Amino acid sequence: MPVLTDASVKKYTAQAKRREIPDARATGLYLVIQPKPSGAKSWTLRFRRPNGRPAKMTLGSIDLSDHETKDDPVIGAPLTLGQARVLAAEIERKRKRGTDVIEEHKAAEARKSTAAADRAANSFDACVREFFIDYRTKRKARQRRWRDTASLLGLRYKPGSDPTTAEPELIKGGLVSIWGDKPVASIDGHDVHTVVSEARKLGSDGRARKLHAALSVVFSWLQQDRRVTANPCAGVSRPEPPEPRERFLTDAEIVAFWHGSDAIGAPFGSCFQIMLLTGARLREVAGMTRAELDADGVWTVPGSRTKNGRSLTLTLPPLAREIIGSLPVIEGGFVFTTTGRTPIGGFSRAKHDLDAAVAKVAGRAVPFRLHDLRRTFVTGLAALGVELPVVERAVNHVSGSFGGVAGVYNKHDYRAKVTEALRRWAAHVQGMVAEQTNVVAINDARR
């Protein structure tokens, strides 16, 4: 039986059949050389188990670097001759003490496998995906804007997809890609503070605030499931919300807005005009489908597209119906669309075009946000003498006049009064636009 050396281990070559060369210096240790063309070399230990049955254990592949590390050798890692002999001696001592090293090794591998599975199941990536599958609000419903929250955290789900079956796209540079394999239990307040601060630097306070809120909900859910002991967002300052806006369009600005919307044309200009006439939010109007409209001009917005989750039913005034009726019917069902398959998007560019068109009509820049149209609508109804409960029903508010006891007991929908309020507002807008158009026409004739 030869005494193996580093030089001889390198010198032994592969043959047509598998070779096992014993080492005289270590009981049961063999250099194994796979047949050609592989010729791979590894260390194997042969011995008898406590029951007398023969056993074989592969210790690891050959390390031919001649570099002895300070770390203790472990089964499964590349091993030099010296490290293989150390492992063989340790296993021989355990075997002489009556330890079944095969069963011990299997148990250790099982523990490693279980630990790896636990780490994978409790990684940030896995937990966020599971959150969107399992989480429900107090109303036992999925978050209304769960796709927006998923995108904020770094996962993109296709429109109409179901998180229980759909595989999301990983957003490059998103939080899931950054924290992917990080165990949720290891994420602390410093980590949360870092990403929230980064969001403020790269985006805005609004995005940072939403990210903080999204993470807080996820970790609260994990805490309830006993997968984290505390919510790391609790000690992290959440960016303050901006001061409430008071901007609304004056009558002259409404006229300029209307002509500007006409100038950029359908579908964006038409969508913006419907927002002004109904006071509905951008998401509510932009996602309008033909199925939501009946023959009498009644528009029902499902709760899945409203901010408070409550459906909204409005009888559209004649002017709004005329605008919608002028739009081409495209297969797919959406009213404001260019493809039929999806509602319009890219509102930043559309708003830029609208601002330019409005400025051209007004002769000056008219700074406003699309959400200011909703405030303009509410202010306009108040100026027309519409009572507050009717205004709040028109914009689907559940606080104010319908908060507290009133919200519990007052179930009147004020539908007839809301319909009349929308008709009066549309007539008011139409009158202002027509009057301005006539004035311009008279001035042009005088020139």
Side-chain angles (χ1 to χ4, degrees):
M1 181 182 297
V3 175
L4 295 178
T5 63
D6 291 333
S8 65
V9 169
K10 294 179 181 179
K11 185 176 179 181
Y12 281 113
T13 58
Q15 298 179 357
K17 294 184 178 180
R18 183 175 182 273
R19 302 179 67 185
E20 288 196 9
I21 304 164
D23 178 27
R25 291 277 301 274
T27 304
L29 182 63
Y30 288 80
L31 167 63
V32 178
I33 307 174
Q34 299 299 327
K36 295 179 179 180
S38 168
K41 297 179 179 180
S42 60
W43 299 111
T44 291
L45 192 65
R46 291 188 177 276
F47 53 89
R48 289 190 178 277
R49 299 177 69 174
N51 59 10
R53 296 177 61 183
K56 181 183 74 171
M57 179 183 292
T58 299
L59 301 183
S61 59
I62 299 290
D63 181 354
L64 299 176
S65 66
D66 295 331
H67 177 67
E68 296 289 343
T69 65
K70 296 180 180 180
D71 298 329
D72 293 333
V74 293
I75 296 174
L79 302 169
T80 63
L81 173 60
Q83 291 170 332
R85 284 172 174 166
V86 170
L87 274 180
E90 290 178 355
I91 292 172
E92 179 64 14
R93 284 197 296 272
K94 289 181 179 179
R95 192 185 67 79
K96 287 183 177 179
R97 291 198 298 267
T99 302
D100 189 338
V101 291
I102 295 293
E103 287 300 323
E104 182 183 65
H105 181 64
K106 287 181 179 179
E109 289 298 305
R111 287 193 297 271
K112 286 167 56 178
S113 178
T114 300
D118 286 343
R119 285 195 300 272
N122 289 288
S123 68
F124 184 76
D125 185 342
C127 287
V128 169
R129 293 170 189 261
E130 188 179 342
F131 171 81
F132 290 110
I133 292 172
D134 293 344
Y135 179 74
R136 295 294 183 273
T137 65
K138 292 180 179 179
R139 296 180 179 177
K140 307 301 180 184
R142 185 171 285 126
Q143 288 178 312
R144 288 182 298 105
R145 297 183 179 178
W146 66 268
R147 287 186 183 83
D148 294 340
T149 303
S151 179
L152 198 64
L153 295 177
L155 296 177
R156 183 180 291 115
Y157 289 86
K158 293 182 179 179
S161 61
D162 185 340
T164 61
T165 56
E167 183 66 23
E169 174 189 351
L170 187 66
I171 299 175
K172 186 177 181 180
L175 196 54
V176 170
S177 69
I178 296 172
W179 283 356
D181 296 332
K182 194 177 182 70
V184 289
S186 71
I187 297 173
D188 57 20
H190 177 74
D191 296 319
V192 175
H193 173 77
T194 299
V195 297
V196 171
S197 297
E198 191 69 16
R200 295 183 71 172
K201 293 176 183 177
L202 299 179
S204 64
D205 282 357
R207 179 176 176 80
R209 187 168 57 255
K210 290 177 182 178
L211 179 59
H212 184 287
L215 286 171
S216 183
V217 173
V218 170
F219 278 102
S220 291
W221 175 74
L222 290 170
Q223 188 177 11
Q224 291 174 3
D225 203 33
R226 297 294 188 269
R227 293 160 82 171
V228 297
T229 57
N231 187 337
C233 300
V236 179
S237 177
R238 181 181 178 184
E240 293 294 328
E243 291 294 325
R245 284 177 63 83
E246 297 182 356
R247 177 79 167 98
F248 64 90
L249 276 62
T250 64
D251 289 353
E253 289 173 338
I254 290 174
V255 172
F257 160 80
W258 194 269
H259 287 304
S261 297
D262 281 339
I264 67 172
F268 289 97
S270 304
C271 174
F272 299 153
Q273 288 174 337
I274 295 298
M275 288 177 63
L276 176 65
L277 294 177
T278 62
R281 295 179 174 86
L282 175 60
R283 185 168 177 264
E284 295 167 349
V285 176
M288 182 188 293
T289 66
R290 301 281 174 182
E292 295 171 2
L293 300 165
D294 71 8
D296 296 323
V298 177
W299 174 37
T300 302
V301 187
S304 60
R305 214 166 66 247
T306 63
K307 184 176 181 180
N308 58 21
R310 295 172 181 264
S311 63
L312 170 65
T313 301
L314 298 174
T315 300
L316 299 177
L319 179 57
R321 284 192 259 176
E322 180 182 329
I323 294 170
I324 293 172
S326 68
L327 298 172
V329 178
I330 302 176
E331 183 179 356
F334 289 101
V335 174
F336 303 101
T337 181
T338 55
T339 65
R341 298 185 301 275
T342 58
I344 52 176
F347 291 102
S348 294
R349 176 60 184 272
K351 180 58 166 55
H352 179 271
D353 293 343
L354 176 65
D355 288 340
V358 172
K360 186 175 181 180
V361 174
R364 62 176 179 83
V366 181
F368 71 97
R369 298 178 186 175
L370 291 176
H371 194 71
D372 294 338
L373 298 175
R374 183 173 171 87
R375 192 176 298 104
T376 302
F377 170 82
V378 171
T379 303
L381 291 189
L384 292 175
V386 178
E387 56 187 345
L388 182 58
V390 177
V391 175
E392 293 189 325
R393 281 296 193 217
V395 293
N396 204 22
H397 275 183
V398 293
S399 57
S401 301
F402 299 99
V405 175
V408 174
Y409 294 102
N410 186 0
K411 300 302 180 182
H412 183 54
D413 60 11
Y414 294 86
R415 182 169 298 180
K417 290 188 176 183
V418 169
T419 298
E420 176 60 18
L422 264 65
R423 186 198 64 76
R424 289 177 60 192
W425 170 243
H428 177 68
V429 172
Q430 191 171 21
M432 288 191 299
V433 172
E435 181 180 349
Q436 180 67 25
T437 302
N438 292 335
V439 170
V440 171
I442 292 172
N443 289 338
D444 287 344
R446 288 175 177 172
R447 292 193 187 96

